[in-house]
């Protein structure tokens, strides 16, 4: 492992782990190199400095942007987990820009980068493959940036971007070159999504051939159990005298074939999801006008070259944002992992890499699977959709864990299978789990002005240990957590458990316990209580989810719930998150002031 600043190096399971001194910050970026094989990894970075303000972003491999620079105050630390695909060559699969460096390269960016440690762990996550041309490529050298090169920063680590876009390729070459589809297809696993955006270099491809080639790519992805997604190409910066894009700008080829129109038609006929990047980028450019939209592309003034097809660093981010908007509209499984929706589609080119505003409030989430971040596209907890509802001054730290009662969340494996004389599960030793210790940490945990949301009550009703919790014990633990938050100047917010979908005829009805002890804990601690139980089944009634035949895979119920009566699809999680946000406003809870 190599680093520009001094650091101790440990080997854990064969991987290099750096442990730099807290507060280490330099005016230039810091490089790390990990000797790992091609594959998928999670890179954990603890950003910030104990002694000074910092501004830190993360790029990996061939300048893939994983995290735009974020600001931290002196003494403030921000832990980021990033999902990275490592391959060789590290940029384009045909090696146009060389093979790059072996292993995994991590590069800290920003005006004052600071990281206390960087570690790498192999993972297995759903992947988002990109099959495309130069407009999406990972460019290792020069000013060009592909939109897929900027895409990872917009996604949470539940999915991994595997960008195989290659400069100069068409539907013809992607099928004929053994280093392209013949190499990528065997890598696709069941559940992976594959974005297919090809057209720019099909300049002389007849329509019949173009259609057939798209069909072969779609079929090849499906053969592996993947989900093919057709993406129309981004427009070229070619305007006519009328202020509108020319046919060439709209990717009509030299034979007069409207390639984006063909892609739309093929998507409809083959039943594949469609991301219409042509329509989105056209609308943006024509709205901005010829002059104001140039910063999205390469210009002589800023980049040393005039190029109406390829994107600047800023433009790559803008186009990636348009792609994520299309992913969300198409309800792709990967959309569940979007960080805060699409990147801003604006014309102004930042003088330096854009920095997110320093978070002034952290929202900590403690709960079960109905709140937790997903590890697959389904189920999705509402906490995963909460961050997007706030301004940049709020960051959400989701510590919810599937299958936990309040006691197993707090004490994990220390809760035994034995009950005491009061009928409660014995905890031995009486030591907190790491997740709660993290929240209590005096440096990186809850601080004055933060919020702690606590929602349990679904698994606590289990008759058997370790998950069983009685009402009195539940109230006691909830009170303890709320008091711990208050002692640090943070604001606890208690939530009753979200309702399952249970119908009495055409009416959704309540079905959860622990409502009274939640209210009692709120009264005892002065913490606001959001009755999510009632609010959720009220929502189900508004959506007319009753009656239903108990098949949670179809219709309105299937679109909301994930294969059972309790867990949510991304759309359902989003609706529940918005119910919680509305309650913040209705109950005049201070955090509501940060909602968008």
């Amino acid at each position: 492992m190599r680093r520009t600043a001094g650091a101790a190096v440990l080997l854990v399971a064969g991987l290099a782990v750096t442990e730099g001194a807290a507060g280490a910050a330099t005016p230039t970026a810091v490089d790390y190199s990990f000797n790992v094989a091609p594959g998928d990894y999670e890179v954990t970075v603890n950003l910030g400095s104990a002694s000074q303000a910092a501004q830190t972003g993360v790029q990996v491999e061939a300048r893939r942007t994983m995290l735009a620079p974020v600001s931290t105050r002196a003494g403030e630390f921000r832990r980021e987990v990033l999902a990275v695909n490592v391959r060789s060559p590290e940029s384009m699969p045909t090696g146009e820009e060389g093979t790059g460096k072996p292993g995994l390269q991590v590069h800290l960016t920003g005006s004052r980068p600071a990281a206390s440690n960087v570690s790498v762990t192999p993972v297995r996550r759903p992947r988002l493959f990109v099959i495309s041309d130069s407009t999406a490529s990972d460019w290792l050298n020069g000013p060009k940036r592909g939109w897929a090169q900027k895409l990872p920063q917009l996604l949470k680590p539940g999915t991994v971007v595997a960008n195989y876009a290659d400069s100069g390729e068409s539907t013809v070459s992607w099928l004929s070159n053994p280093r392209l589809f013949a190499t990528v297809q065997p890598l696709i696993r069941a559940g992976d999504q594959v974005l297919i955006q090809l057209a720019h270099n099909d300049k002389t491809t007849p329509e019949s051939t173009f259609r057939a080639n798209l069909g072969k790519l779609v079929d090849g992805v499906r053969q592996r159990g993947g989900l093919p997604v057709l993406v129309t190409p981004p427009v070229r910066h070619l305007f006519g005298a009328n202020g509108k894009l020319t046919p060439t700008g709209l990717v009509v080829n030299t034979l007069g074939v409207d390639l984006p129109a063909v892609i739309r038609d093929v998507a409809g006929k083959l039943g594949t999801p469609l991301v219409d990047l042509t329509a989105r980028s056209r609308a943006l450019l024509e709205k901005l006008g010829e002059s104001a939209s140039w910063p999205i592309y390469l210009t002589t003034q800023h980049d040393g070259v005039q190029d109406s097809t390829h994107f600047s660093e800023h433009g790559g981010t803008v186009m990636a944002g348009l792609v994520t908007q299309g992913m969300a509209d198409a309800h792709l499984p990967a959309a569940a992992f979007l960080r805060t929706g699409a990147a801003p589609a604006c014309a102004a080119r930042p003088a330096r890499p854009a920095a997110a505003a320093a978070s002034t409030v952290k929202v900590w989430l403690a709960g079960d699977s109905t709140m937790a971040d997903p590890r697959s596209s389904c189920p999705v907890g509402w906490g995963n959709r909460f961050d997007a509802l706030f301004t940049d001054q709020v960051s959400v730290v989701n510590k919810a864990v599937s299958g936990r009662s309040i006691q197993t969340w707090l004490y994990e494996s220390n809760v035994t299978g034995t009950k005491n004389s009061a009928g409660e599960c014995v905890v031995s030793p009486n030591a907190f789990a790491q997740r709660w210790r993290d929240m209590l940490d005096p440096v990186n945990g809850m601080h004055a002005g933060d919020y702690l949301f606590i929602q349990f009550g679904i698994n606590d009703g289990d008759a058997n240990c370790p998950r069983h919790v009685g009402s009195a014990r539940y109230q006691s633990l909830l009170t303890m957590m709320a008091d711990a938050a208050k002692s640090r100047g943070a604001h606890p917010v208690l939530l009753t458990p979200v309702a399952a979908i249970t119908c009495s005829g055409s009416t959704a009805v309540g079905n959860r316990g622990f409502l009274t002890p939640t209210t009692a804990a709120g009264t005892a601690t002065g913490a606001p209580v959001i009755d999510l139980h009632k609010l959720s089944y009220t929502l189900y009634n508004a959506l007319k989810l009753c009656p239903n035949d108990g098949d949670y895979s179809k219709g309105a119920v299937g679109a909301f719930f994930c294969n059972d009566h309790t867990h949510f699809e991304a759309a359902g999680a989003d609706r529940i998150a918005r119910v919680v946000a509305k309650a913040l406003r209705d109950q005049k809870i201070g955090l509501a002031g940060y909602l968008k």
Side-chain angles (χ1 to χ4, degrees):
M1 186 222 71
R2 174 175 53 80
R3 184 187 177 192
T4 61
V9 180
L10 305 178
L11 289 179
V12 180
L15 300 182
V17 180
T18 67
E19 292 191 313
T26 64
T28 57
V30 177
D31 293 313
Y32 301 81
S33 183
F34 296 89
N35 183 21
V36 298
D40 296 334
Y41 298 88
E42 279 190 349
V43 176
T44 302
V45 185
N46 196 37
L47 306 178
S49 165
S51 60
Q52 58 189 307
Q55 189 205 46
T56 316
V58 180
Q59 288 185 353
V60 302
E61 295 291 86
R63 300 188 300 183
R64 294 179 226 156
T65 303
M66 304 302 300
L67 183 70
V70 295
S71 298
T72 50
R73 302 180 300 271
E76 178 187 7
F77 294 89
R78 174 167 169 168
R79 181 176 180 269
E80 290 287 345
V81 180
L82 311 168
V84 178
N85 174 256
V86 175
R87 60 184 183 273
S88 181
E90 68 181 49
S91 55
M92 297 183 220
T94 60
E96 175 175 327
E97 295 192 305
T99 58
K101 298 175 182 177
L104 167 60
Q105 314 307 316
V106 179
H107 177 70
L108 302 185
T109 65
S111 60
R112 294 188 63 82
S116 58
N117 60 69
V118 180
S119 63
V120 176
T121 306
V123 294
R124 183 182 175 92
R125 297 280 182 269
R127 289 167 298 182
L128 184 65
F129 283 89
V130 178
I131 288 175
S132 188
D133 51 38
S134 59
T135 61
S137 291
D138 284 353
W139 288 94
L140 184 59
N141 304 305
K144 295 178 185 176
R145 297 294 193 280
W147 61 256
Q149 191 172 16
K150 311 297 283 186
L151 183 61
Q153 66 185 310
L154 305 180
L155 294 166
K156 295 180 181 180
T159 191
V160 183
V161 176
N163 184 13
Y164 282 83
D166 197 79
S167 177
E169 308 300 347
S170 64
T171 59
V172 176
S173 60
W174 254 94
L175 290 166
S176 63
N177 189 330
R179 289 181 292 182
L180 296 174
F181 195 59
T183 297
V184 175
Q185 186 190 25
L187 302 176
I188 299 170
R189 299 191 299 252
D192 288 343
Q193 296 150 80
V194 184
L195 303 182
I196 304 170
Q197 181 228 284
L198 293 165
H200 272 288
N201 299 302
D202 283 280
K203 298 173 184 177
T204 60
T205 305
E207 180 177 341
S208 59
T209 303
F210 187 67
R211 285 180 177 273
N213 289 345
L214 290 175
K216 290 175 184 177
L217 291 167
V218 167
D219 288 344
V221 172
R222 286 174 170 168
Q223 288 169 15
R224 297 290 300 171
L227 174 64
V229 181
L230 290 177
V231 183
T232 60
V235 297
R236 298 183 178 98
H237 192 276
L238 296 173
F239 281 80
N242 61 355
K244 303 295 183 182
L245 294 175
T246 66
T248 304
L250 295 173
V251 203
V252 176
N253 75 7
T254 59
L255 301 179
V257 181
D258 186 338
L259 298 175
V262 174
I263 295 171
R264 297 181 192 109
D265 187 61
V266 170
K269 285 183 167 60
L270 298 183
T272 66
L274 175 75
V275 173
D276 199 339
L277 183 55
T278 306
R280 291 177 184 276
S281 55
R282 177 186 186 177
L284 174 61
L285 262 68
E286 292 186 345
K287 178 181 178 181
L288 294 171
E290 183 173 7
S291 177
S293 59
W294 258 121
I296 295 172
Y297 296 81
L298 300 178
T299 63
T300 303
Q301 178 182 9
H302 191 274
D303 307 293
V305 61
Q306 198 85 353
D307 189 327
S308 60
T309 298
H310 297 101
F311 307 122
S312 63
E313 182 165 8
H314 164 66
T317 301
V318 169
M319 288 295 166
L322 296 181
V323 171
T324 60
Q325 290 172 7
M327 290 166 54
D329 288 348
H331 305 292
L332 298 187
F337 301 102
L338 293 178
R339 283 186 179 266
T340 55
C346 57
R349 187 198 304 269
R352 59 174 60 93
S359 296
T360 58
V361 176
K362 284 186 178 179
V363 178
W364 303 80
L365 304 183
D368 53 38
S369 58
T370 60
M371 179 192 271
D373 281 331
R375 288 299 182 183
S376 64
S377 61
C378 168
V380 178
W382 66 261
N384 177 256
R385 317 299 284 185
F386 207 38
D387 185 75
L389 304 181
F390 293 93
T391 66
D392 289 343
Q393 283 69 49
V394 170
S395 62
V396 174
V397 183
N398 194 351
K399 295 281 189 177
V401 184
S402 175
R404 273 38 174 204
S405 65
I406 189 171
Q407 184 156 263
T408 55
W409 188 93
L410 281 166
Y411 298 97
E412 197 54 71
S413 58
N414 294 335
V415 184
T416 71
T418 303
K419 290 184 179 179
N420 60 21
S421 58
E424 296 294 340
C425 304
V426 174
V427 179
S428 180
N430 190 25
F432 290 130
Q434 184 63 49
R435 62 181 74 96
W436 183 232
R437 295 205 304 271
D438 288 345
M439 289 192 181
L440 300 179
D441 186 272
V443 175
N444 298 320
M446 292 182 287
H447 286 164
D450 288 352
Y451 283 78
L452 171 64
F453 283 63
I454 312 170
Q455 179 224 287
F456 292 96
I458 293 177
N459 301 302
D460 310 65
D462 195 323
N464 301 312
C465 293
R467 295 203 302 187
H468 168 79
V469 180
S471 293
R473 175 66 170 165
Y474 185 93
Q475 181 178 332
S476 173
L477 293 176
L478 197 55
T479 300
M480 178 272 292
M481 293 180 72
D483 284 340
K486 292 178 65 177
S487 71
R488 288 158 174 76
H491 309 288
V493 178
L494 313 183
L495 299 95
T496 57
V498 65
I501 178 66
T502 301
C503 299
S504 176
S506 61
T507 303
V509 296
N511 43 54
R512 299 297 189 198
F514 300 95
L515 308 182
T516 299
T518 302
T519 302
T523 300
T525 61
V529 176
I530 294 176
D531 191 357
L532 184 55
H533 181 247
K534 182 177 181 179
L535 291 173
S536 54
Y537 70 71
T538 299
L539 173 64
Y540 306 158
N541 282 317
L543 297 175
K544 301 187 183 304
L545 300 185
C546 290
N548 61 72
D549 62 4
D551 185 346
Y552 305 104
S553 64
K554 66 182 183 182
V557 172
F560 197 101
F561 288 91
C562 171
N563 304 327
D564 61 31
H565 56 35
T566 294
H567 298 99
F568 308 121
E569 294 280 357
D574 186 74
R575 294 299 297 266
I576 296 296
R578 292 179 185 277
V579 164
V580 176
K582 185 177 184 299
L584 292 176
R585 286 195 173 102
D586 292 346
Q587 295 179 218
K588 295 181 172 57
I589 297 172
L591 185 62
Y594 294 95
L595 289 168
K596 292 178 180 177

